[in-house]
Amino acid sequence: MRRVVVTGLGAVTPLGNNIPDFWNGLINGVSGADFITHFDCSKFKTRFACEVKNFDPLTVIDKKEVRRLDLYAQYALYAADEAYKDAGLTEETFDPDRSGVIWGSGIGGLETFYKEVDAFSKGDGTPRFSPFFIPKMIADIASGHISMRFGFRGPNFTTVSACASSTNSIIDSMFYIRMGKADVMITGGSEAAVNEPAMGGFNAMHALSERNDSPKTASRPFDVSRDGFVMGEGGGALVLEELEHALARGAKIYAEIVGGGCSADAHHITAPHPEGLGALNVIKSTLNDAGMKPEEIDYINVHGTSTPLGDIAETKAILGVFGDHAYKLNISSTKSMTGHLLGAAGAIEAITCILSVKNDIVPPTINQENIDPALDPKLNFTFNKAQKRTVNAALSNTFGFGGHNASVIVRKFVP
């Protein structure tokens, strides 16, 4: 099969609105959490989140177009624009009919949906909806806007698998290039769920941390006092390219995407399989797709949401797959810094793995005080401080409600 490399990256995150700022925040252990500014949350159980800060869509998107885009789609176009430019793409360097977009979002335009329905419910019953209501709200519209912006006429759709959505989008893009159906793909995901219905809904499930007295330390994967995840928002974009196509135009290459896998827990709508069976199966599937042995992996960016059940189940899966090699791995959850970006999590965490492979640095799991005694203390969770080491290959895990699991492996590029 044809080889797939990464030639461009883009990000808008709670740690920074471009790749350099995002990476700098990660390796310095910066928390993106703070009190919510998007809406009045005074009556909510959780009053903090990892919001995107100082976001100005007008630097990338026309003012008229901004009004027609839900925030999740604004994040998508913003990140995709950076990735496109970073890849050095121009109209002369790709065939539009062999260039596509596969994007991921777990929810899509939730804020647009909420505001339109809220306005209707407060009216006299007359249906005064915006003509842009549906085009702003639907989860696939971001991929459509990206394709129109860059003239990509190849494969175009959106993957929806909860918090595994953008990992699935990366895997599908890899497959399209491998199979010869495309040469260039813009992929990734975005989410904008720091709003009333999302925060209220996750609070009702008791999924969010309620550590209102200390937002910056609330996301604490693997710590015995963890009490739920911290909501994040933003987007991440990758340009994937067939190797010979990239070499022919002299593109820089960050890393190679060498494997992807998917599985289902078939267990519960929100809780992971208690023995981590779905996670174990997806890691095995991803290694098999990459043609790699467990001992060839150096770093795992875990799903690590900071929930009591999820962190334990994933660790069981890692030990089940990697055996003694698990103790030689670096493991970290960057959600301790970014919060949980839901459908966009896989994109920014795949980017994290790519930058870790490129720079030989493993970002930390911050906010660790006392490790959960149910976890193996001999595992290297990269607590509180980044670690330098050779990272030849990294695995990124993402798991979503409904039992959806997806993982990818990135490796140093060797011609």
Side-chain angles (χ1 to χ4, degrees):
M1 291 182 291
R2 306 193 320 162
R3 294 171 67 182
V4 182
V5 294
V6 182
T7 58
L9 299 174
V12 49
T13 78
L15 301 184
N17 299 338
N18 54 61
I19 289 294
D21 288 348
F22 169 58
W23 179 242
N24 187 62
L26 284 181
I27 61 175
N28 284 289
V30 176
S31 171
D34 211 334
F35 293 106
I36 290 171
T37 64
H38 288 352
F39 66 95
D40 179 4
C41 60
S42 58
K43 295 183 180 180
F44 283 69
K45 293 179 182 178
T46 297
R47 297 187 290 278
F48 59 90
C50 290
E51 294 180 329
V52 169
K53 302 159 187 70
N54 304 312
F55 177 66
D56 182 6
L58 296 178
T59 60
V60 170
I61 310 168
D62 178 79
K63 184 176 182 179
K64 184 178 181 180
E65 188 178 9
V66 167
R67 294 197 297 268
R68 300 176 179 179
L69 295 172
D70 185 89
L71 187 57
Y72 102 96
Q74 294 178 32
Y75 290 156
L77 274 174
Y78 195 97
D81 184 78
E82 182 184 8
Y84 181 90
K85 292 174 180 174
D86 184 47
L89 290 170
T90 64
E91 291 182 359
E92 295 76 29
T93 58
F94 63 88
D95 179 348
D97 295 325
R98 293 187 55 79
S99 304
V101 182
I102 304 177
W103 201 252
S105 186
I107 302 176
L110 179 60
E111 186 167 357
T112 293
F113 186 89
Y114 167 66
K115 287 181 177 179
E116 289 284 337
V117 174
D118 182 55
F120 173 71
S121 69
K122 292 175 179 176
D124 62 3
T126 304
R128 296 186 179 91
F129 290 93
S130 166
F132 296 105
F133 173 29
I134 301 302
K136 284 178 69 174
M137 177 269 295
I138 52 179
D140 69 296
I141 203 67
S143 65
H145 278 290
I146 294 169
S147 70
M148 287 182 276
R149 184 178 186 89
F150 303 116
F152 283 18
R153 298 196 296 258
N156 188 281
F157 58 90
T158 289
T159 55
V160 179
S161 49
C163 304
S165 296
S166 53
T167 302
N168 280 125
S169 74
I170 294 168
I171 292 168
D172 283 358
S173 295
M174 175 188 71
F175 285 159
Y176 270 85
I177 295 173
R178 273 184 177 179
M179 294 185 296
K181 297 181 180 295
D183 298 323
V184 179
M185 298 292 295
I186 294 179
T187 186
S190 58
E191 206 80 88
V194 182
N195 49 45
E196 292 94 326
M199 296 298 294
F202 281 109
N203 263 154
M205 296 172 60
H206 303 288
L208 294 178
S209 170
E210 297 178 18
R211 195 181 287 264
N212 293 301
D213 59 337
S214 183
K216 291 190 180 300
T217 66
S219 184
R220 45 180 55 222
F222 313 117
D223 192 275
V224 69
S225 64
R226 66 195 184 280
D227 67 330
F229 76 84
V230 176
M231 184 71 77
E233 63 172 354
L238 302 81
V239 173
L240 303 189
E241 200 164 343
E242 190 272 326
L243 174 59
E244 296 305 322
H245 187 278
L247 293 175
R249 69 179 188 87
K252 71 175 182 298
I253 295 174
Y254 282 99
E256 185 173 1
I257 305 284
V258 293
C262 306
S263 76
D265 278 11
H267 171 69
H268 188 270
I269 57 171
T270 57
H273 190 282
E275 299 304 314
L277 181 61
L280 182 146
N281 286 339
V282 77
I283 295 170
K284 284 185 174 179
S285 174
T286 306
L287 286 165
N288 182 63
D289 185 62
M292 295 178 67
K293 299 176 181 178
E295 52 268 27
E296 294 180 84
I297 300 296
D298 301 301
Y299 166 47
I300 303 176
N301 187 293
V302 292
H303 188 57
T305 56
S306 189
T307 55
L309 296 178
D311 293 356
I312 293 173
E314 186 171 10
T315 304
K316 288 180 178 179
I318 290 169
L319 287 166
V321 174
F322 292 92
D324 289 341
H325 182 65
Y327 302 108
K328 300 176 183 178
L329 293 165
N330 270 79
I331 297 166
S332 75
S333 172
T334 48
K335 288 185 180 72
S336 59
M337 295 173 279
T338 66
H340 191 353
L341 273 70
L342 307 182
I348 67 163
E349 289 162 18
I351 290 170
T352 298
C353 287
I354 290 161
L355 295 173
S356 184
V357 163
K358 180 178 183 292
N359 296 295
D360 289 323
I361 303 175
V362 176
T365 305
I366 67 168
N367 298 325
Q368 172 57 210
E369 294 176 353
N370 298 293
I371 190 170
D372 188 331
L375 301 172
D376 190 333
K378 298 191 297 293
L379 292 171
N380 182 1
F381 292 104
T382 323
F383 284 139
N384 298 320
K385 188 176 181 180
Q387 295 179 14
K388 293 185 177 181
R389 65 164 292 172
T390 299
V391 184
N392 288 312
L395 168 73
S396 177
N397 289 336
T398 49
F399 313 136
F401 284 175
H404 308 294
N405 308 304
S407 300
V408 295
I409 294 174
V410 301
R411 188 168 61 190
K412 284 188 188 299
F413 171 64
V414 178

